[in-house]
Amino acid sequence: SSNQMWGGRFASGPDAIMEEINASIGFDKKLYAQDIRGSIAHATMLAKQGIISSEDKDKIVEGLNTILSEIEAGRFEFSRKLEDIHMNIEARLATLIGPAAGRLHTARSRNDQVALDFRLWVKEELVKTDAALTDLITALLDKAEEHADTVMPGFTHLQTAQPVTFGHHCMAYVEMFGRDRSRVRHAIDHMDECPIGAAALAGTGFKIDRHMTAEALGFRSPTRNSIDTVSDRDFALEFLSVASICAVHLSRFAEEIVIWSTPQFGFIRLSDAFSTGSSIMPQKKNPDAAELVRAKTGRINGSLVALLTIMKGLPLAYSKDMQEDKEQVFDAAENLELAVAAMAGMVRDMTVRVDRMRAAAGSGFSTATDLADWLVREAGLPFRDAHHVTGRAVALAEQKGCDLADLSLEDLKSIHEAITEKVFDVLTVDASVASRTSFGGTAPSEVRKQIAWWRGRN
Ligand code: ARG
């Protein structure tokens, strides 16, 4: 038989494959609450404008609330024949309240309906993302505070560069997740316009009040262009780009956790709660959560590329291709939520191995720059000359198999006669980090300022 929603011009029903490729109910049932909220706002507006009677409106609202509780109680039977969440709900409404149900879709199309439902969902998801990131930042601020003085090697090219503090390193991630939060807020702001009332694409001749529905549904204003409204999926793309950038941050951190927790580095120990064992090697403790955070990033970035590619060739306005937007966003959202929560858990639970970090910080000639800076400051050498002299000191230490600070004063004097005993004050890792007091630098005093700045903003 033909479709009860749009079957007027059809003589027969769809092929089984048609039904399968066409149906979205398997995933868009997630939008049930947004769909019902949107329909209640729409029906209320229709009644207020005199387009439907207030008796019909009351029946519609009551029926929709019944459906809401049916779905939430798991008592609703979703049907693939009814394609999507919109038609599943409307068909049930007809069963519950009879002909009045048929008036709900006045001055509305599924095109503006789905744009509304999905936008409401994405907006809510972004609010959740913001809260999850706030929690992760709090965990990082606590760790950073605890380890504002903990010295570790800072790396470039993954080669020892200069000593930094672990607190400072944690605060680098706070900056990244802080920017992610600000991107989340901007994204919410961009999508804060209400699609309902654009109808199929051209608007409607009914005297609707789009400002009323926009306000009832918590939007700043209605969208301005009905064609754009039903063909725009920027809000979904923006969610996916914000999620992808955030996931990249999570993934870099996850990668560091994987490296740090190896016996070779041994900078941190993950808690039992966030690691797994091996079924064959009894000694193993694997950083699976970090690895999976790293992997989820591939998946989230893939969703962004998928939707960009789905959208890139679509003429205005709505095309059914756009139905494929939801699975990408739902999957990315679910996995981003998991990844952020797992990261917050790992940060809170990890044990920082202060001695291992300190020992590593002092190896690899990490205070060579401090020696060069000392020669500039105390002996008046131009930095390029100081760099060369220090390079020779490093070569000598390497040849002797010791660190810079283990060279004797005679050794150092043989390289440059201006070097005095006082140079040893700057060759320790503590002196090195304490001296980096430039704004944003690694000195514990500066790191504490960064922490205080973020405490007031997170
Ligand atoms: N299930 C559809 C989607 O997700 C709803 C909109 C359908 N509109 C249409 N004209 N067929 O995009």
Side-chain angles (χ1 to χ4, degrees):
S1 66
S2 71
N3 188 284
Q4 67 180 106
M5 295 293 156
W6 43 251
R9 79 188 299 283
F10 285 76
S12 75
D15 186 90
I17 293 295
M18 178 59 204
E19 188 182 302
E20 192 172 345
I21 196 174
N22 198 37
S24 54
I25 188 63
F27 49 87
D28 68 15
K29 59 169 88 144
K30 246 190 162 64
L31 299 176
Y32 73 89
Q34 290 77 12
D35 196 71
I36 289 171
R37 259 175 73 201
S39 289
I40 289 176
H42 182 67
T44 307
M45 180 278 293
L46 291 177
K48 153 106 189 319
Q49 297 299 101
I51 299 167
I52 64 172
S53 72
S54 72
E55 296 76 56
D56 283 348
K57 184 262 288 177
D58 290 342
K59 279 192 210 158
I60 289 170
V61 171
E62 207 193 310
L64 287 169
N65 281 322
T66 304
I67 294 170
L68 182 65
S69 28
E70 286 176 352
I71 295 176
E72 297 199 317
R75 280 189 283 109
F76 191 93
E77 230 178 273
F78 294 100
S79 154
R80 199 173 77 179
K81 285 205 166 16
L82 291 164
E83 252 185 77
D84 57 24
I85 187 64
H86 324 294
M87 297 202 292
N88 268 268
I89 289 176
E90 200 187 314
R92 176 68 185 143
L93 189 64
T95 315
L96 285 173
I97 68 168
R103 300 195 185 278
L104 170 60
H105 213 53
T106 314
R108 184 175 81 166
S109 151
R110 272 188 298 154
N111 297 347
D112 58 338
Q113 192 178 356
V114 73
L116 168 67
D117 295 1
F118 197 26
R119 218 183 254 234
L120 283 171
W121 193 93
V122 172
K123 256 178 87 182
E124 286 164 34
E125 186 60 29
L126 282 167
V127 172
K128 284 192 217 163
T129 310
D130 196 40
L133 285 172
T134 304
D135 181 60
L136 173 57
I137 291 173
T138 302
L140 281 163
L141 288 171
D142 292 346
K143 271 288 152 188
E145 192 137 55
E146 197 185 323
H147 292 285
D149 300 285
T150 300
V151 180
M152 72 180 278
F155 298 92
T156 61
H157 313 265
L158 197 57
Q159 305 284 331
T160 302
Q162 294 173 344
V164 297
T165 67
F166 185 63
H168 195 208
H169 198 100
C170 289
M171 291 307 294
Y173 283 104
V174 167
E175 293 290 333
M176 292 176 239
F177 296 128
R179 286 194 297 274
D180 290 333
R181 280 196 64 199
S182 118
R183 268 184 282 273
V184 163
R185 288 190 297 262
H186 281 119
I188 293 175
D189 191 56
H190 284 154
M191 66 184 72
D192 202 14
E193 293 176 346
C194 186
I196 198 73
L201 81 164
T204 175
F206 290 102
K207 297 284 168 272
I208 59 172
D209 182 351
R210 292 193 60 207
H211 290 86
M212 178 180 169
T213 38
E215 201 190 318
L217 292 165
F219 288 95
R220 183 177 59 226
S221 64
T223 54
R224 276 171 306 282
N225 182 306
S226 61
I227 298 174
D228 174 54
T229 300
V230 294
S231 67
D232 163 42
R233 287 298 179 272
D234 287 10
F235 64 95
L237 288 171
E238 202 164 354
F239 171 79
L240 289 170
S241 13
V242 169
S244 292
I245 295 172
C246 177
V248 166
H249 295 150
L250 290 166
S251 186
R252 294 180 73 177
F253 196 10
E255 168 68 6
E256 296 199 310
I257 289 174
V258 169
I259 295 173
W260 292 344
S261 61
T262 57
Q264 289 75 9
F265 267 77
F267 284 6
I268 58 164
R269 227 181 260 115
L270 289 174
S271 68
D272 289 357
F274 283 97
S275 10
T276 59
S278 155
S279 55
I280 174 168
M281 297 166 282
Q283 86 284 9
K284 291 274 271 182
K285 193 163 165 186
N286 294 325
D288 293 41
E291 294 167 90
L292 286 164
V293 167
R294 200 170 55 183
K296 299 290 188 200
T297 303
R299 188 165 165 172
I300 293 166
N301 295 359
S303 292
L304 170 61
V305 174
L307 187 56
L308 285 168
T309 312
I310 288 165
M311 294 304 297
K312 71 174 271 297
L314 298 186
L316 308 188
Y318 178 87
S319 293
K320 193 66 172 246
D321 311 48
M322 289 159 75
Q323 176 164 287
E324 296 274 320
D325 55 1
K326 289 164 215 70
E327 284 164 295
Q328 301 304 333
V329 168
F330 291 158
D331 188 77
E334 186 180 327
N335 285 291
L336 185 69
E337 269 183 45
L338 260 175
V340 174
M343 191 52 90
M346 281 189 280
V347 169
R348 286 208 165 89
D349 278 19
M350 70 169 61
T351 308
V352 177
R353 302 178 70 186
V354 176
D355 295 348
R356 297 274 312 187
M357 282 190 179
R358 166 173 289 274
S363 69
F365 313 109
S366 65
T367 56
T369 316
D370 299 271
L371 174 54
D373 288 351
W374 186 89
L375 287 164
V376 169
R377 232 177 19 248
E378 305 295 325
L381 269 65
F383 182 76
R384 282 294 157 220
D385 297 346
H387 185 285
H388 189 77
V389 170
T390 304
R392 283 172 46 221
V394 167
L396 181 62
E398 202 160 33
Q399 185 196 317
K400 294 199 160 197
C402 69
D403 277 324
L404 273 180
D406 302 327
L407 288 173
S408 67
L409 186 56
E410 291 69 56
D411 285 339
L412 289 167
K413 271 199 185 301
S414 76
I415 288 162
H416 200 284
E417 74 282 355
I419 297 180
T420 69
E421 190 102 54
K422 281 200 284 179
V423 78
F424 290 106
D425 294 345
V426 304
L427 294 183
T428 67
V429 291
D430 290 297
S432 175
V433 298
S435 73
R436 299 282 193 294
T437 51
S438 54
F439 186 83
T442 205
S445 55
E446 279 304 309
V447 172
R448 292 203 167 87
K449 281 184 211 160
Q450 295 170 32
I451 297 170
W453 192 90
W454 276 108
R455 287 265 190 229
R457 279 162 185 82
N458 187 42

